[in-house]
Amino acid sequence: AVVFLTNKECPFRCVMCDLWINTLDIRIPRGSILQQIRHARASLPHAAQIKLYNAGSFFDPEAIPPEDDEEIAHEVSDCERVIVESHPAFLAGVHGDRCLRFRDRLAGRLEVAIGLETAERSVLARLNKRMTLDSFARAAGFLRQHDIDLRVFILLKPPFAGEHDYVESACRSIDLAREYGASVCSVIPTRGGNGAMESLNPPFVPPTLRALERVLDYALARPPFGTRVFADLWDIARLTSCACSPARVARLRDMNRTQRPAPGIECRDC
C-alpha cells in the first residue's frame, strides 16, 4: 500500500522537485497525519507492506509532528514493513534518535528511502539538495548500524547531467547504492514541469525510454548483492514516442516483477 501524506513543504528546494505542488505552507496540527493514514487505508485492501510518503522527510518535525509517532506506529502495526522517506539531515543527532524510537515502536521492519539522485559529485552539488555523497554515506551507515533497511532513489538524467553519458552515470549510481547496502534502488526518469526545470540553460530534455531500459538491463545483469532494482514507471507515457514503446514498457514492468533480464526488443525506428 502507498499512502501520500499532505504536510508542510519540505525545507529543501531541489531544482528538479515538483512534490511541493501538493504540500502546505503551514505546520499541520497533531493528529492530521494519523487521520490521513486511516482515511487512506480504509479504501485499500490489506497489504503486508506500506509506504508512508510525505513529499519530504518523515522525520522532519515540521512535516510529521513527532508527538504523532507512537499512534502512527500503532496504526500500521499489522504491516510487516513500513517504508518512509528522509533527507540525510534528518538521520543525525536528535533526528536520528527519533528514527530509532520510531523503529522500536513498529511491529514490523522499518525501511528508509533516501534520494541519492546521482553519484556524480559535481551534479549533486548543483541540485540545491544540500546533500553530499559523504552525508549520504553517513546516513546509510547510520541505518546499517541500527539494522534499518535502505531504499535509494536514483534520477535518470538529473539536471546538469551530460547529454551523452547519463545512462552510465545512473549505472554508477546504482553501483554506489549497492556498495552502501541498499536493499532497493528505484530509478526515476527525471521530469520537467516544476518551473525551475523549464528555466535551465541549456533547456532540459527528458531521458528516453530506451535509456531507462539500458539502465535496468545493466542492473539486472550484474550480481544482485541483495539489491532489487526497479524502473519507476509512474507517468511513463511521457517517455513513449514510438510504436514499440508499449512493448518496452511491458518489458520493463516484467523485469521489475521478476528481477531478471528479459529478451530485448528490436525496432528500426528508434
Side-chain angles (χ1 to χ4, degrees), residues 28 44 54 59 70 109 118 126 146 152 158 183 232 267:
I28 59 173
L44 293 169
N54 67 305
F59 301 113
E70 185 171 359
R109 190 165 182 85
T118 178
R126 300 180 68 184
H146 296 288
V152 172
S183 60
D232 190 311
C267 179

Side-chain angles (χ1 to χ4, degrees), residues 156-169:
L156 177 61
K157 198 180 181 186
F160 316 114
E163 189 63 39
H164 303 293
D165 62 355
Y166 67 86
V167 169
E168 291 76 9
S169 175

Side-chain angles (χ1 to χ4, degrees), residues 211-266:
L212 183 60
E213 274 191 294
R214 288 172 59 194
V215 173
L216 195 59
D217 284 338
Y218 169 86
L220 298 187
R222 305 273 289 174
F225 303 120
T227 305
R228 290 161 289 152
V229 182
F230 301 103
D232 190 311
L233 300 181
W234 182 82
D235 197 27
I236 197 63
R238 63 195 165 87
L239 301 186
T240 58
S241 58
C242 183
C244 70
S245 293
R248 293 190 184 280
V249 172
R251 177 175 183 260
L252 287 168
R253 187 172 289 114
D254 180 64
M255 291 196 295
N256 278 348
R257 184 176 63 253
T258 65
Q259 289 295 289
R260 295 178 180 175
I265 295 170
E266 298 294 332

